[in-house]
């Protein structure tokens, strides 16, 4: 699916259109709100208001980016069918399986995707360390952040857009931590950390209720920093599904269906 030229072109144009729209909003929102509140672009209130608006935009953009990466990885399919349909339901079992021949002899792409998708079955805690979770996004940020900075430095990217994206790429780095904190709360593990629960309740970081639907349907609520961008991200996912960029049936749902079908077929053979 992802290898076709048509799909790649559709995805590229969708991304370009989305990025252009985001730039327009970023460039106008801070200035417009700042002038509305302060009345003049020369006052201190204007700069404070514009900075606050741009910080909120950065948090929104960061959440959207985490959702976009999450969605694209969720909808990639493991090529090896035997590996794709293999399931482990605990972190200990995942770690043990990743030492077996079926996993170690798979392609690097298949190993990465199977490990990523295994979270849908072995939900909590993560089979990756805190450092590995952090590095999942850092590998992207380490490339994109310098590009935005160079674009800002040489004047190719507008100032407000540069400020928002440079901050967004940094504040989005701990999104896997906010993601697993949401899962931790569903298991009653944050009772000794009331401040974290308050941040979740205030929707400053991801609330478990905002993420639970993703683990039920697998085609929505991909954003994992604070969940602010889920309504927009869900519309993007439906649009990409409509144009055939994303599969109608999410890979995790497909895998579960096929495993159930194989199980039913074996039961019929025995009866």
């Amino acid at each position: 699916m992802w290898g076709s030229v048509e799909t790649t072109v559709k995805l590229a144009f969708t991304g370009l259109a989305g990025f252009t729209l985001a730039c327009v909003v970023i460039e106008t929102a801070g200035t417009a709100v700042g002038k509305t509140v302060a009345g003049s672009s020369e006052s201190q209130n204007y700069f404070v208001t514009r900075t606050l608006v741009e910080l909120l935009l950065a948090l929104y953009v960061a959440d959207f980016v985490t959702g976009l990466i999450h969605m694209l990885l969720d909808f990639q399919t493991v090529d090896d069918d035997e590996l794709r349909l293999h399931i482990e339901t605990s972190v200990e079992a995942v770690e043990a399986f990743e030492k077996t021949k079926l996993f170690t002899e798979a392609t690097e792409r298949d190993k990465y995707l199977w490990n990523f998708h295994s979270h849908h079955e072995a939900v909590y805690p993560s089979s990756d360390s805190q450092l590995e979770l952090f590095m999942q996004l850092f590998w992207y940020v380490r490339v994109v952040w310098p590009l935005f900075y160079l674009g800002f430095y040489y004047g190719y990217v507008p100032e407000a857009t540069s400020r928002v994206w440079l901050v967004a790429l940094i504040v989005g780095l701990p999104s896997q931590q906010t993601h697993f904190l949401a899962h931790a709360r569903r298991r009653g593990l944050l009772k000794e950390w009331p401040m974290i629960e308050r941040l979740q309740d205030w929707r400053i970081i991801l609330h478990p209720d905002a993420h639970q639907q993703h683990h039920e349907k697998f085609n929505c609520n991909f954003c994992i920093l604070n969940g602010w961008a889920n309504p927009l991200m869900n519309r993007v996912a439906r649009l990409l599904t409509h144009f055939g960029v994303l599969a109608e049936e999410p890979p995790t749902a497909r895998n579960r269906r096929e495993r159930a079908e194989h199980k039913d077929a074996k039961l019929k053979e025995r009866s």
Side-chain angles (χ1 to χ4, degrees), residues 87-223:
I87 180 175
E88 300 292 351
T89 56
S90 70
V91 173
E92 294 78 14
V94 168
E95 291 174 345
F97 171 70
E98 289 182 347
K99 297 175 183 178
T100 65
K101 187 175 180 180
L102 176 60
F103 184 85
T104 58
E105 293 188 354
T107 65
E108 289 301 317
R109 177 183 179 277
D110 276 2
K111 286 193 285 189
Y112 180 84
L113 289 176
W114 187 91
N115 175 273
F116 189 86
H117 294 172
S118 69
H119 167 63
H120 288 156
E121 309 296 348
V123 178
Y124 186 87
S126 172
S127 60
D128 295 324
S129 67
Q130 292 298 314
L131 177 60
E132 288 170 329
L133 290 174
F134 180 84
M135 293 301 291
Q136 285 179 3
L137 284 175
F138 180 76
W139 288 116
Y140 297 95
V141 172
R142 72 189 178 97
V143 175
V144 178
W145 201 94
L147 293 177
F148 267 104
Y149 182 78
L150 289 173
F152 164 71
Y153 184 82
Y154 289 105
Y156 294 117
V157 182
E159 287 189 18
T161 298
S162 298
R163 288 194 298 267
V164 167
W165 275 92
L166 290 172
V167 173
L169 291 169
I170 297 301
V171 299
L173 283 174
S175 59
Q176 281 286 31
Q177 280 69 30
T178 59
H179 170 207
F180 279 97
L181 283 172
H183 285 298
R185 184 173 180 181
R186 289 193 68 85
R187 288 153 179 79
L189 301 178
L190 296 184
K191 293 178 180 178
E192 296 183 2
W193 302 90
M195 192 59 214
I196 293 178
E197 291 188 338
R198 288 194 184 94
L199 290 174
Q200 292 174 333
D201 291 338
W202 296 336
R203 295 326 196 250
I204 295 174
I205 62 176
L206 185 66
H207 192 278
D209 291 347
H211 187 61
Q212 182 57 26
Q213 195 173 6
H214 174 72
H215 282 265
E216 296 170 356
K217 297 183 177 180
F218 309 111
N219 63 354
C220 61
N221 290 24
F222 298 96
C223 302

Side-chain angles (χ1 to χ4, degrees), residues 75-87:
F75 274 83
Q76 299 243 17
T77 302
V78 174
D79 291 329
D80 186 317
D81 284 341
E82 185 180 1
L83 178 62
R84 175 175 64 84
L85 294 174
H86 185 86
I87 180 175

